[in-house]
């Protein structure tokens, strides 16, 4: 049981390049989330999904797109990377069992945009 | 949406002393309040959580209290140890159209000096 797995762990991009971050969970969780973490800013929600085929905007969605084609996977895309998107990206998952359950986080992806 | 404020942003204590971190939230309908610990370069990990039907919860040296009337909750760590040094995040749950979301505070950097 791997929990939440993020790939890649590190990446360096040039401004204007595109890339996709992959999050996979093996806990059969309905909810999945993408956060970015910058110094002093805490965890800010980019997009999230409450089930397969659904996505919703979070606090800082601009410049990112997401897809949830399979329940276990949640992809985060940067179509044209900008230096302001340099950050650590965390994926998380959780579920409802009558009431909201804790979010489980992946190890993060460290992304630098030059 | 929900707004969570966390204080202090930094906290230094001597080993063996107690540490208290406080959070306030704005939406009286929030009903789930987790606390996460994040060590340097690691993922956030849940350390304790509390739901709105409970006023206090303890787990060894860690306790959380919730005051629904005042809309604030606090993390208490007793007999602190150097390995407690980390960033701590509080969060509050969303409701209705934002059910499943967590709104995070900006974090508290706790340093425990030996």
């Amino acid at each position: 049981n791997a929990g939440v797995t993020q790939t890649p762990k590190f990446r360096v991009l040039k401004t204007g390049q595109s890339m996709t971050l992959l999050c996979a969970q093996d806990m059969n969780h309905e909810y999945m989330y993408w956060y970015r973490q910058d110094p002093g800013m805490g965890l800010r929600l980019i997009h999230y999904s409450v089930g397969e085929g659904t996505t919703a905007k979070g606090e800082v969605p601009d410049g990112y797109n997401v897809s949830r084609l399979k329940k276990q996977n949640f992809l985060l895309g940067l179509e044209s990377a900008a230096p302001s998107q340099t950050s650590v990206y965390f994926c998380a998952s959780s579920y409802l069992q009558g009431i909201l359950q804790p979010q489980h986080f992946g190890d993060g992806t460290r992304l630098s945009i030059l | 949406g929900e707004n969570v404020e966390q204080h202090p942003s930094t906290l230094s204590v001597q080993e063996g002393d107690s540490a208290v971190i406080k959070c306030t939230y704005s939406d009286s309908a929030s009903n789930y309040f987790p606390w996460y610990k994040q060590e340097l370069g690691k993922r956030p990990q849940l350390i304790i959580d509390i739901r709105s039907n409970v006023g206090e919860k303890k787990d060894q040296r860690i306790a959380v209290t919730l005051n629904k009337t005042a809309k604030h909750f606090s993390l208490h760590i007793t007999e602190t140890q150097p390995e407690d040094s980390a960033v701590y995040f509080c969060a509050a749950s969303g409701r209705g159209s934002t059910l499943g979301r967590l709104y995070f505070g900006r974090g508290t950097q706790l340093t425990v000096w030996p």
Side-chain angles (χ1 to χ4, degrees):
Chain A
N1 193 340
V4 179
T5 303
Q6 292 183 232
T7 53
K9 296 187 186 306
F10 304 93
R11 186 72 184 269
V12 177
L13 288 179
K14 294 182 179 178
T15 298
Q17 287 185 319
S18 63
M19 78 161 295
T20 300
L21 281 65
L22 172 64
C23 177
Q25 52 94 5
D26 61 1
M27 298 174 283
N28 202 34
H29 286 175
E30 297 101 337
Y31 292 172
M32 296 188 74
Y33 313 83
W34 276 108
Y35 294 91
R36 61 177 289 173
Q37 186 174 38
D38 304 293
M41 298 299 291
L43 293 158
R44 292 186 292 170
L45 184 65
I46 305 170
H47 288 280
Y48 66 109
S49 168
V50 301
E52 183 178 323
T54 73
T55 62
K57 293 181 180 180
E59 182 183 354
V60 288
D62 293 343
Y64 305 94
N65 56 76
V66 288
S67 64
R68 183 101 181 268
L69 299 179
K70 294 183 179 181
K71 186 177 184 179
Q72 65 267 35
N73 294 336
F74 195 28
L75 279 62
L76 177 70
L78 287 72
E79 290 186 348
S80 180
S84 60
Q85 294 177 305
T86 294
S87 188
V88 179
Y89 292 85
F90 285 100
C91 177
S93 70
S94 72
Y95 67 105
L96 272 176
Q97 190 174 32
I99 53 177
L100 185 62
Q101 301 301 313
Q103 291 186 12
H104 299 261
F105 285 82
D107 285 333
T109 295
R110 284 148 184 81
L111 182 61
S112 294
I113 315 295
L114 304 178
Chain B
E2 175 70 277
N3 182 47
V4 176
E5 296 195 355
Q6 182 172 348
H7 299 280
S9 57
T10 60
L11 179 61
S12 293
V13 299
Q14 200 77 31
E15 183 177 0
D17 288 348
S18 296
V20 180
I21 302 170
K22 299 181 179 181
C23 290
T24 61
Y25 60 100
S26 60
D27 190 344
S28 57
S30 291
N31 60 10
Y32 176 59
F33 307 91
W35 285 88
Y36 285 84
K37 175 184 180 181
Q38 186 179 28
E39 297 176 353
L40 188 62
K42 304 290 188 181
R43 71 175 79 181
Q45 293 196 297
L46 179 76
I47 55 170
I48 196 167
D49 56 9
I50 192 168
R51 301 191 184 271
S52 58
N53 59 346
V54 175
E56 183 175 1
K57 184 177 179 181
K58 292 185 70 174
D59 183 3
Q60 300 183 344
R61 296 185 297 107
I62 293 173
V64 56
T65 58
L66 172 64
N67 184 325
K68 287 188 294 183
T69 302
K71 290 189 282 188
H72 68 71
F73 56 113
S74 300
L75 178 71
H76 304 254
I77 305 175
T78 59
E79 300 173 18
T80 54
Q81 302 167 1
E83 52 264 38
D84 294 328
S85 295
V87 178
Y88 292 81
F89 293 99
C90 64
S93 62
R95 66 180 181 103
S97 62
T98 62
L99 182 65
R101 281 186 65 169
L102 287 179
Y103 295 82
F104 284 87
R106 291 198 171 188
T108 296
Q109 174 69 62
L110 173 65
T111 303
V112 180
W113 300 99

